[in-house]
Amino acid sequence: MDKIADLAQLISRFAPVSGMSGTAVPRLSLIRADHPSAPVPAVYEASLCIIAQGSKRVSLAGQSVVYDASSYLLVSVDLPLIGHVLEASPTAPYLCCKIDFDPGALADLLVTERRVSPEKDLPVLAVYPSDPDLIDAACRLVKLLARPETIDVLAPLVEREILYRLLTGPHGATLRQMGTVDSHLNQVSRAIATIRNGFQAQLRIDEIAAASGMSASSLHAHFKAITRMTPLEYQKQLRLQQARRLMLADGANAGTAGFAVGYDSPSQFSREYRRLFGAPPRQDIERLQAIPGSAAAY
């Protein structure tokens, strides 16, 4: 646990006062929360999340996992998840580092490794027992923030080590499928990128299927198997999460937020918003504003 304590000290030193912030190290974000949070939907990029202090629950389409300093979270495609900080206080804040995966570095490492995993739809959201070597590498990555002049040279080397340790761990098959161009996981990831880049526009399945390198029927089948939702449901969650952020963080009203994310009908927007978040837009935002740190989550 000494390495976890070291990581907690480093995150506490460099993390923002509250919320999540990017850093001078590419693909590294640090998160701090001084209070438990309400369940907050947000898109999690394909990444490794290591908690150094506190605990959190993340949920996807009815599946929930809880992780803390004894485990870490692996997300293998960009997913609209619901996160809920469970343990945090001003004296013992929730501290976490998030390391987004570099597809190019992963592909390069796979060429060196030369191992192939059998094609199957793998879990895209999973928690694994803590690995001291992985935590040590995360410490060294965060510690680079103390010497910015070393980041350009050393950060890619530490990231490569982290990817290698993940490839040789219990989730190696998932990482290999992420980096294999014609795997279902990689194809669905490309479909997700296409949806995210134009989520305000009308969903065109044929265009998304073409971008992913799959037929429309294959896209539907594997997208649902991997993400637990259809492409249309995925787009809807992106729209509603962005609208919520606009209202909570930017002060937009419901009509403006709904129109900004692609809704032409205010009543449809309100109905679908309530179905996802459990309350109409105005009531939901007022509830969140009463919870410390909720706006910082966005």
Side-chain angles (χ1 to χ4, degrees):
M1 294 297 290
D2 287 345
K3 288 298 179 183
I4 279 290
D6 291 343
L7 184 60
Q9 288 183 351
L10 287 165
I11 295 174
S12 183
R13 176 182 174 186
F14 293 110
V17 175
S18 181
M20 181 173 75
S21 178
T23 70
V25 175
R27 293 172 292 281
L28 172 67
S29 298
L30 302 179
I31 307 102
R32 177 188 177 115
D34 293 334
H35 304 276
S37 72
V40 176
V43 176
Y44 284 51
E45 288 79 11
S47 57
L48 165 70
C49 298
I50 302 176
I51 291 177
Q53 189 167 268
S55 65
K56 187 173 190 178
R57 175 185 290 115
V58 291
S59 304
L60 171 69
Q63 174 198 4
S64 292
V65 295
V66 175
Y67 69 116
D68 56 20
S70 67
S71 54
Y72 59 88
L73 177 74
L74 191 71
V75 182
S76 52
V77 296
D78 297 358
L79 292 173
L81 304 177
I82 297 177
H84 182 190
V85 174
L86 301 175
E87 294 179 68
S89 70
T91 56
Y94 168 82
L95 300 170
C96 177
C97 70
K98 174 175 172 284
I99 304 166
D100 295 338
F101 295 128
D102 179 353
L106 178 58
D108 181 64
L109 195 56
L110 287 174
V111 170
T112 304
E113 190 196 32
R114 295 183 180 179
R115 286 176 59 187
V116 178
S117 295
E119 178 66 32
K120 60 180 180 178
D121 291 332
L122 299 161
V124 292
L125 177 69
V127 168
Y128 299 91
S130 184
D131 177 353
D133 292 328
L134 195 59
I135 295 168
D136 178 64
C139 284
R140 284 184 275 114
L141 191 66
V142 177
K143 195 179 294 184
L144 294 178
L145 294 171
R147 298 186 61 189
E149 73 278 5
T150 68
I151 290 173
D152 287 348
V153 173
L154 296 182
L157 301 179
V158 182
E159 282 187 77
R160 186 180 178 90
E161 177 187 345
I162 289 170
L163 288 172
Y164 174 77
R165 294 195 181 282
L166 291 172
L167 277 169
T168 55
H171 28 55
T174 300
L175 269 289
R176 279 186 282 277
Q177 293 299 331
M178 286 174 61
T180 303
V181 173
D182 59 353
S183 72
H184 294 156
L185 192 58
N186 190 290
Q187 290 171 318
V188 168
S189 182
R190 297 204 299 272
I192 285 172
T194 303
I195 295 172
R196 290 192 68 183
N197 287 337
F199 70 89
Q200 303 95 333
Q202 181 180 355
L203 193 72
R204 300 186 184 280
I205 290 296
D206 289 344
E207 293 179 4
I208 296 168
S212 68
M214 307 170 86
S215 67
S217 59
S218 182
L219 170 65
H220 269 289
H222 293 294
F223 199 102
K224 184 70 178 285
I226 287 171
T227 69
R228 297 175 176 250
M229 62 188 80
T230 66
L232 183 59
E233 290 168 338
Y234 188 99
Q235 182 202 43
K236 187 182 299 182
Q237 289 219 14
L238 291 181
R239 285 181 166 186
L240 294 171
Q241 287 187 18
Q242 174 65 3
R244 198 189 205 201
R245 189 200 67 78
L246 290 173
M247 289 184 286
L248 183 62
D250 297 348
N253 61 43
T256 299
F259 182 76
V261 300
Y263 281 91
D264 295 324
S265 167
S267 60
Q268 182 187 5
F269 170 66
S270 182
R271 183 170 59 252
E272 293 185 354
Y273 188 101
R274 181 171 188 164
R275 189 176 298 132
L276 179 61
F277 298 122
R282 182 175 178 179
Q283 182 179 332
D284 176 60
I285 297 304
E286 288 176 349
R287 176 179 60 86
L288 285 174
Q289 288 172 336
I291 300 172
S294 291
Y298 284 84

